[in-house]
Structures are given as C-alpha cells and as structure tokens.
Amino acid sequence: MAKSNNKKEKDKKVDLDDYSLYTNRELSWLDFNFRVLEEAYDKENPLLERFKFLAITSSNLEEFFMIRVAGLEEQVRASYSGLDISGLTPTQQLILISQKVNKMLEMQYVCLIDELLPLLKKENIRLLKSEELDEKDTEFLDSYFKTTVFPVVTPMAVDQSRPFPILPGSGVNLGVELQNEKGETLFAFIPVPTIFPRFIKLNSENGLKLFLIEDLIKKYSGLFFSGYKIVEMSEFRITRDGDFSIDEDDARDLLIEIQSSLKERRTGFPVKLEISKNMGKNLKNFLLNILNVRMENVYEISSFLDLSSLMEISNLEGYEHLKYEHYSPQPSIEFYGKEDIFKIISEKDVLLHHPYESFEHVVEFLRQACEDPQVLAIKQTLYRVGKKSPIIDYLIKAAENGKQVTVVVEVKARFDEENNIQWAKELEKAGCHVVYGLVGLKVHAKLLMVVRKEESGIKRYIHMSTGNYNYITTRLYEDIGFFTCKESYAQDVSALFNVLTGYSRPPTWKKLSVAPTTLKEMLIKLIENEIEISKKGGKGKIIIKANSLLDKNVIKVLYKASMNKVDIKLIIRGICSLKVGIKGISDNIKVRSIVGRYLEHSRIYYFENNGDPKLFISSADLMPRNLERRVETLIPIEQENLKQNLIDILQLYLKDNFKARELQPTGEYLKVSPKKSKIISVQDELMKESKKKFQKFLKKQEVDQFNFPKLK
C-alpha cells in the first residue's frame, strides 16, 4: 500500500504544463521539411524524383514564410511577447527559425550543385551558363528573346518621379545598378516574367541543354538601358506576408472581401529577402533600405534563386527511366464490373484507399447520381478542388438535370481561394445552391450525400473521406474514402448539412463526432478509456496516423496514458510537439514519420478497447485549428472486414523500415535500420498488394478483364 501511495505522490509532482515537455511548432515543421530534403539526397530515389523533392522543400519553405513567419513578424511588430507551447517568445522563435533555415538553404544548394546537376549532366541534360553557349544555341536564343521575351519584359526605373515599384512576392527579379552620362548612380528593376518556362530548352544531338530565362534577360540587358552603363545586374526575390484576416462579422459579402484581400497578398509586407551572394554593396544596401527587411530574414544564395522551379526539370518528358515506375491506381474489387453503384453500397459499406485504389469510383458515384432519374438531391462540401474537376462538371450537370444540388464551398481555403471563388460562381450560374462556409469556421470535413427515391422510400447514400475531392491530388496524396447508406450515418450527415446551410443547431450525433463541438472531447474520452483499461490490469493500446500533433490537451492526455502503461504508437508525418523518451512521462510512446513517393494524408485512429478495437477515419489532424476552429468529422468504421483492413494498413506503416524515420529523445528523426531479412516500404507494399488483389479478383472471375465496364 505504501508503494502505491508513493507512486501517486510521484505522479502528482509531474507538471504536464512544463514548457520543456513540448516542441515548438515552427521548428518541428522545419524538421519535417528537412525530412523532405533528405529524399532529395536519397540515392535510392530516381534522379528526376530527387529534383522534385528539392523543389517541394523550396515551395514548402516559401509558404512557411508567407504564413507562419509572417504571423510571428506581425506579433513582433505589435510588441506581443506571449509564450508558445514550448515557452518561446515570437522574437526567440524567429531567431531559431533563421538559424535552421540558413542550414536548410545551405543543404539545398549543396544537394543541387554537388549532387543533382552533375548526375543530370551524366544523363546528357545540362544547365548552361552564357559562356557555354555555342553558335547554334545563341542563334536560337537571340530569336526567342527578340520575338517572345523582349515584348513582355518591363524594366522599372526608380527615381523621384518613379518610386520603388511594388514588386510581386515569390517571383525572381533582377536588380540593376546603372550610371548615366554624368556618372550618377541610378537603380532599376526587371521582374522576370512567370508566364514563360524558367528553363529554356535547347535541343541538340548530344541530349538536352537548359538555359535560365533570367540569364537570357541579362545576356540582352543592354537593349533595355540604351545610353546608360550597366554597373551590375543581380537576382533577388521577395517573399511577402501571404496571410490575411477577414472580419467575417463585418464583411457584407464574403466573396468580395476575400477577392479584395487576395490583392493584398501580392503586395504584403516583405518577410524574406533572398539575394545573390555576389550582389554588390550598392544594390544590396538600396534593397535593404527600401524593403525594410530584418537582417535575420535576408538570405544570400550561392546559385540561382527559387528552387521550386526545379519541378520543371522533374517533369521533363522523354526521361521516364529517371522517374518512379508508373503506377495506375487499381480498381476496387467491390465496384469493378458492376454497373449499379447504389446497389453495391446498399449491400455493404466500402472503403477505398487512394492512390492505391482508384478515385474514379467516387467520380462514377457522382456521375450516376447526376444521371439517375431516381436521385432527388446531391449535397457536397468542397475544400480544395483543383483547376480542372470532373466533380464540378457532374454537380453542374446534376443541377441542369433538375436535381436539387447544394454545395458548401470553403472560399477561405488558403491559396485555393481564387479557384474556389471561380467554382462557386460557375456552380451558382448552373443553378446549384452554393454556401460559402460558416462565419468564423473553415469547413474542412469531406462529405458527399446523394438522396434517392426508392421503392422502400427515401434513401441517402454517403461518401466521407480524409482527403479533398481533388481529381489531381488523389493520385499523389494517400487518403481513405468511405461509402455507406446506413441510416445512422445518413441522419448525422443530413443534420450536419443543415447546420452548414441553415440555422439548425448541432444535434446529438448518432455516429459522427464533429468539430468544433464534440470531436476533441470524443478523442480525449477514447484515450482516457485506454488509461482506465490499463489501470485495471488490461492492455491499453493506441495507434494514431495523422499529419500533425500540436494540440496541448491531446498531448497531455497521451502523456497521462503513457504514464499509465498504455502502449502508444504515433505515425505523424509533419509537426509533432510531443516529445518521446521523457522518463516517467513518455516512455511508452513511439513516434515515426514517413515521407515518400506519395504525400501521407489520411488520419486513422485506433483504440484497443480491451480486445474490441474501435477504429475511426477523420478529416481532422490533432491541432487546435482542426479541433476548435474548423468543421471536421471523426467517422467510426464498424464493419469488421473494414476494421481489419485499417488495422492491416496501420501495421504496415509500423513495419516500414525503408522510408520511416523515428523521433528520438534528442528531437532528431533517424531512419529506421532495416533488418537483414527484408526491406519493407509501406507505399511499395500497398502498391503491390492493390495490384495483386485486383489480379486475383480477375482470375477468380474466370473472365477476360476487358469484358468489364472500364474506368475512365
């Protein structure tokens, strides 16, 4: 008894609010981007895929500065000195971010210059400098410049009558120092047009030559400044504050307000300045004085700026041997060869795992709904749809066919605002009832409901997902979709649409848990249930797959679970503010991150529940924004074969010893060392399994697969 009391006393002394128990969000995100960068270094990846990973680290970093660093800068300007989850002030965070970003940029350019470009040269693809051009190259570039580029380029002088131009963020600019006839120093700028490819292709008998468009402009710069001496011409790049806040209570028309704010994004406060390392003193000082960027946010670059444009190299056609072997998402054996999708869903629930299984089944579900005379209504939420979308086409067609179509378009989805506003207008024009989300909340839940009149009465068919209804990214992002027509789910989804489109209060949910009202509470309750089971001598076990773990309340209850011997395994791709290996607190928690060919995006929650596992999929990550400021859904999966399917998927993620990196007590992520017996890559295994499963199905049917209706 004395020993038990001592343990209780020891537990009481643990302060789970101690800042040292948590990792800063921004630094954790940068660690994730380092893991993406490691893929660019990884010699196991095909060459052009390595270029892609390097491009992604650059575009990721740009968005990070536009949103996260911009927010911290704003706090500093407002003299806010509050502490984050790890006990850092905004100023301290900015200093640490600058240190990590400098290291990241250095590693990016070492990867490019010392590894990737030399390997590209071995494949007869060369990035040329001006002095390496031959006569034929020069002839082509001369013609290309004069007929195509020169008419578009606009030099901008800076003097008393022409103040410093508001240069757009993210693009590459050329700064020019000039001298007039009197020897006076003048400055001008040339924004490099983004409507042209960054890399100009020069075909030759010996492979492919590439030439940067800014080098082309520099080569013919004299044509822009006749009568002036060009002292120096050097590249720079501005990153601007890309976030904007909207007073939704005040905004009379949300669309107009957002469209107005989008213009501000192009001219927002500078939060990062990249300059060429060899930029002269005069030009550098001029830029620093004009732009008023803090020195911590000025980065000198040793090669060409903006590595996100390397995506052009990764997408080069004719070099398929330097890319991943092509993989086509496999048809689901539940749907393939069967014409009536509603009949299939009536018989049983169906899970789809994208991109291993085809998203075409979701598109087909909507196509049948828009053409079926028995379908009365379609309701859908749209968060990120993309530029070309068969989903939008079928919603429009459904409205034209007389269906009642209601679409909740989240026009506040960051960096997709313009796309979503355009789609919203198109849908309204076609007769759809369009709702622009809720005041103060983003609608992030992924829901599609089809209302159908059948002999037995009105029946509702539901699709819910962890990922967006984006036709393009479903081939690049890993996600899970769920079809059902069970009445308990249907009632909840109907009720949720009523909340989103009208003035209905949230009901008592039958199946779903919904943020911001019940989802977080349910997750904490499920974790606490594992604690109680463990306290009573049972085996507590939790497996969570999510993109981010930041919410302090959730982390605290996971720490408590670990302190009570609950076995916790977390598969967190990105931000993780939880620390592992803290004696007496997080000894029983393991965290791994997997970065690979596909972007890990699904959220799966597993709770052992004393031998009767509870499994959920969700649109929500474990972040305050998802749990408190967004509409999200936590969806229970109850059909036994589907539960087992999710368990098998989670087990594969935990077995990965090829792409997995495990979080260490030091905060580092180290690659898992593969056992000598077998290397396991979860993404490769899931591709193989999907192919094998479908081929086995075809063989079992004992018919030629070409007799089946085809997926598009």
Side-chain angles (χ1 to χ4, degrees), residues 177 185 187 231-232 280-287:
E177 181 185 347
T185 297
F187 295 99
V231 178
E232 182 195 356
K281 188 177 178 182
N282 288 346
L283 189 54
K284 180 178 176 181
N285 289 339
F286 183 76
L287 282 172

Side-chain angles (χ1 to χ4, degrees), residues 461-706:
Y461 294 83
I462 310 295
H463 176 266
M464 295 177 277
S465 178
T466 66
N468 300 308
Y469 292 103
N470 185 314
Y471 190 69
I472 303 300
T473 60
T474 54
R475 287 174 170 265
L476 306 171
Y477 291 13
E478 178 270 341
D479 273 303
I480 291 173
F482 174 59
F483 286 102
T484 187
C485 65
K486 288 190 171 66
E487 187 60 18
S488 52
Y489 289 95
Q491 286 180 20
D492 276 0
V493 173
S494 274
L496 182 49
F497 271 111
N498 290 339
V499 171
L500 296 176
T501 61
Y503 284 112
S504 177
R505 290 190 176 187
T508 301
W509 306 105
K510 293 178 170 55
K511 287 291 181 187
L512 305 182
S513 297
V514 179
T517 53
T518 63
L519 197 156
K520 183 174 177 177
E521 179 188 345
M522 173 58 77
L523 283 173
I524 288 175
K525 195 180 290 184
L526 288 162
I527 297 168
E528 288 175 339
N529 181 55
E530 296 302 312
I531 293 173
E532 289 306 308
I533 289 168
S534 187
K535 280 182 176 178
K536 292 173 183 176
K539 184 183 177 184
K541 186 177 181 182
I542 297 167
I543 306 172
I544 294 173
K545 180 182 183 294
N547 300 319
S548 300
L549 171 56
L550 178 63
D551 188 88
K552 189 175 180 181
N553 295 324
V554 173
I555 295 173
K556 283 170 76 170
V557 76
L558 286 171
Y559 280 154
K560 287 175 184 174
S562 172
M563 291 160 69
N564 284 281
K565 310 300 181 190
V566 177
D567 179 27
I568 303 167
K569 292 183 172 61
L570 307 176
I571 306 154
I572 309 294
R573 185 195 80 218
I575 299 164
C576 182
S577 288
L578 177 147
K579 292 185 176 182
V580 299
I582 305 172
K583 194 172 181 182
I585 297 178
S586 59
D587 313 69
N588 295 305
I589 304 177
K590 289 189 181 298
V591 178
R592 55 171 39 206
S593 171
I594 292 173
V595 178
R597 173 175 182 167
Y598 301 118
L599 180 78
E600 294 296 334
H601 195 253
S602 71
R603 295 90 169 177
I604 308 172
Y605 297 91
Y606 169 96
F607 303 93
E608 178 69 20
N609 193 37
N610 213 18
D612 183 18
K614 291 189 175 184
L615 284 111
F616 305 81
I617 62 171
S618 181
S619 60
D621 284 311
L622 301 172
M623 302 177 76
R625 71 178 188 191
N626 298 89
L627 303 177
E628 297 166 9
R629 301 191 297 277
R630 290 186 175 186
V631 177
E632 307 269 15
T633 51
L634 182 71
I635 306 150
I637 304 298
E638 298 178 337
Q639 195 169 287
E640 287 302 323
N641 68 314
L642 302 188
K643 285 170 68 173
Q644 189 57 51
N645 189 0
L646 289 178
I647 291 169
D648 292 342
I649 289 169
L650 288 172
Q651 289 301 329
L652 257 183
Y653 276 98
L654 294 174
K655 287 177 183 175
D656 187 295
N657 56 16
F658 186 63
K659 290 296 182 184
R661 295 163 177 84
E662 289 192 347
L663 179 59
Q664 306 299 307
T666 59
E668 290 180 284
Y669 280 83
L670 298 181
K671 271 205 165 187
V672 178
S673 299
K675 294 178 181 177
K676 290 181 181 178
S677 55
K678 188 179 181 184
I679 292 175
I680 298 173
S681 166
V682 61
Q683 294 186 355
D684 288 347
E685 291 298 318
L686 288 167
M687 281 189 281
K688 289 175 192 172
E689 283 187 10
S690 293
K691 280 184 177 179
K692 187 177 177 183
K693 184 179 178 182
F694 182 59
Q695 292 304 318
K696 187 178 179 182
F697 163 76
L698 289 177
K699 193 173 181 181
K700 190 177 180 182
Q701 300 303 307
E702 294 184 344
V703 291
D704 190 318
Q705 61 173 319
F706 297 105

Side-chain angles (χ1 to χ4, degrees), residues 20 26 30-31 41-42 55 127 134-135 179 217 222 247 291 304 327 339 368 402 421 445 474 631 650 676:
S20 68
E26 321 305 349
L30 286 169
D31 287 338
Y41 273 95
D42 192 342
L127 180 60
D134 61 28
E135 190 177 332
Q179 275 187 1
I217 295 170
D247 185 352
L291 293 172
F304 63 87
Y327 174 80
E339 294 194 2
Q368 289 193 26
I421 288 170
T474 54
V631 177
L650 288 172
K676 290 181 181 178

Side-chain angles (χ1 to χ4, degrees), residues 405-421:
V405 179
T406 303
V407 188
V408 180
V409 180
E410 184 46 81
V411 291
K412 301 187 294 284
R414 189 179 286 137
F415 298 118
D416 272 330
E417 299 97 342
E418 289 182 89
N419 267 345
N420 287 2
I421 288 170

